[in-house]
Amino acid sequence: MKFENILEEIDGFGPFQIFIIVLLCAPRIDSLGIGAQQQRLTVSLPLGEGGGFRSCEMFAEPQFQLLVNGSKDFEATTVPCQSGWVFDNSTFTSTLATEWDLVCDRKSLTQTTSSIFFFGVMIGSIASGFLSDRYGRRNTLLASYIMAAVFGFSSAFANSYIVFAVLRFFTGFGLTGIGVNSIVLSIEWVDTDHRSFIGVIGSLSWSVGNMLLAAFAYLVNDWRNLTMTVTAPLGLAILTWWWIPESARWLLAHGKVEKAKFYLDKCAKFNKRGDLSDKIKLETLSSIENEENKDKNYTYLDLIKTPKMRKLTLLTGIVWYGVASTYYGISLNISGLGLNIYLTHFIYAAIEVPAKLMVYCCLNIVGRRKCQAGTLLLTGLCIAINVFLPQDLWHLRIVVAILGKGLSEAAFTTLFLYTTELYPTVVRQNGLGYTSFISRLGVSVAPLILMLEDFWTPLPQIIICSVASVSGLVALLLPETLKERLPETIQDVEQKTVLVKAEQTD
């Protein structure tokens, strides 16, 4: 008997599973003195090339003659700004830049903050993957909830840039465990026919969260208050964690039969399928566990110890790097739509919704492998088209770029589901931790690729197009998982080809 047979008995997609999805998706749906001031600026600051005041220099002495006879060609001795800065607060009342004067020679620290956060995400993906396969999905999820909530909320009260940066690192460390554990735990509790639905729904919660972020940022434009606002749902997530069940697949794979039966009983009763004990005996569940694996502690080394696992690890790493590098390369390079920052962010997030609905249909029709390869190759095609489109056709260029962004998001949505189905239960989180780490390398490299336009303008787009196309072709080398049961052990992966051939022979 396989775990899928048990799900058929207790309903693999009933109220119990829907309840789990709601609990796991919700946290992810995680935005008089005027004239005098002008005169002061005029006598104190030199003009820049665009006619505006220079941001980082001031006159060594006030030039009062400019009030009477202003001149763009006027030159006087300048020095770095000595008395602080005056900021435009029309959009945000307070930001990191205004709080700690992250301008001029300190301007790079704003980007450093993002890099520190994503470094935390990168390290967190490795740690959460190991801990989840070692101590369970549910326990690791709680630790991620608490860590992200505590450090995220604390960052709103940081009294220095260094303290804020440290807190953002640990916030990123905790957040990555929420995303990865949520999707794995959801998929491990549903039957074969509904895995694609779960994968897309989980991804849609991310898009909804991004759209809500635009609304929150518009309503709450002080960075400290905004940080507390977007962190608050994690407090609710901690409370709802008590109703989230552990993965019965993981429990059986680690020999915890009685605990698995406890959750399976709850599922059967919740789905109104009666008492599980009337249908499946404890001895039957015991036969599902693998005696060879129940006392073994798996690590990342198990991803490369056997031939087919090595191949799977290599190929998924290449695809994850390609998808992440392409997605963020496109996102960072799309110009604004002539709209305010809030509406632009909302539109870019909303674009992802139809892309994910489209990919849901494709996943069940053409399969995971062709869908993964197709979205990446079409993304590369969109980028290639924009390389040759003239700059004066900017309307068309924006349309093609947005289409490419939608396709790259569809590739990301497919990848989370596909990878979860490829790796066996005993190292599934290790596999996702490893691939998430690789994807962050792609994210880190994306801005560096865009900087190459200083040498040759089309070069970044050519590189991103090539990465998307190559990773799309690599995806074709992965096995199909449509309507296939989830592998439970490494032996399942290693023996899959043999089993398929035997079934075809029969």
Side-chain angles (χ1 to χ4, degrees), residues 7 52 112 155 199 290 355:
L7 287 177
T112 302
S155 63
N290 192 307

mmCIF file of all heavy atoms in Angstrom, residues 7 52 112 155 199 290 355:
data_model
loop_
_atom_site.group_PDB
_atom_site.id
_atom_site.type_symbol
_atom_site.label_atom_id
_atom_site.label_comp_id
_atom_site.label_asym_id
_atom_site.label_seq_id
_atom_site.Cartn_x
_atom_site.Cartn_y
_atom_site.Cartn_z
ATOM 1 N N LEU A 7 -4.812 8.268 1.093
ATOM 2 C CA LEU A 7 -5.504 9.524 0.799
ATOM 3 C C LEU A 7 -6.830 9.279 0.087
ATOM 4 O O LEU A 7 -7.798 10.019 0.277
ATOM 5 C CB LEU A 7 -4.608 10.437 -0.056
ATOM 6 C CG LEU A 7 -3.424 11.093 0.669
ATOM 7 C CD1 LEU A 7 -2.585 11.895 -0.317
ATOM 8 C CD2 LEU A 7 -3.919 11.997 1.796
ATOM 9 N N GLY A 52 18.184 71.466 -11.415
ATOM 10 C CA GLY A 52 17.847 71.290 -10.007
ATOM 11 C C GLY A 52 19.075 71.463 -9.131
ATOM 12 O O GLY A 52 20.211 71.566 -9.610
ATOM 13 N N THR A 112 22.734 47.923 0.096
ATOM 14 C CA THR A 112 23.356 46.966 1.006
ATOM 15 C C THR A 112 22.324 46.314 1.919
ATOM 16 O O THR A 112 22.411 45.125 2.236
ATOM 17 C CB THR A 112 24.433 47.665 1.845
ATOM 18 O OG1 THR A 112 25.402 48.255 0.974
ATOM 19 C CG2 THR A 112 25.134 46.680 2.776
ATOM 20 N N SER A 155 12.751 45.245 13.968
ATOM 21 C CA SER A 155 13.444 46.145 13.039
ATOM 22 C C SER A 155 12.758 47.501 12.935
ATOM 23 O O SER A 155 13.387 48.498 12.567
ATOM 24 C CB SER A 155 13.557 45.497 11.656
ATOM 25 O OG SER A 155 12.278 45.266 11.102
ATOM 26 N N GLY A 199 -0.195 24.030 -5.671
ATOM 27 C CA GLY A 199 1.000 24.790 -6.020
ATOM 28 C C GLY A 199 0.674 26.175 -6.527
ATOM 29 O O GLY A 199 1.333 27.158 -6.166
ATOM 30 N N ASN A 290 9.657 2.756 5.711
ATOM 31 C CA ASN A 290 10.840 2.047 5.246
ATOM 32 C C ASN A 290 11.773 1.816 6.423
ATOM 33 O O ASN A 290 12.325 2.749 6.996
ATOM 34 C CB ASN A 290 11.558 2.889 4.163
ATOM 35 C CG ASN A 290 12.620 2.102 3.445
ATOM 36 O OD1 ASN A 290 13.495 1.525 4.067
ATOM 37 N ND2 ASN A 290 12.538 2.091 2.123
ATOM 38 N N ALA A 355 -1.027 35.134 -15.333
ATOM 39 C CA ALA A 355 0.062 34.227 -15.723
ATOM 40 C C ALA A 355 -0.025 32.927 -14.933
ATOM 41 O O ALA A 355 0.171 31.829 -15.478
ATOM 42 C CB ALA A 355 1.413 34.905 -15.495
#
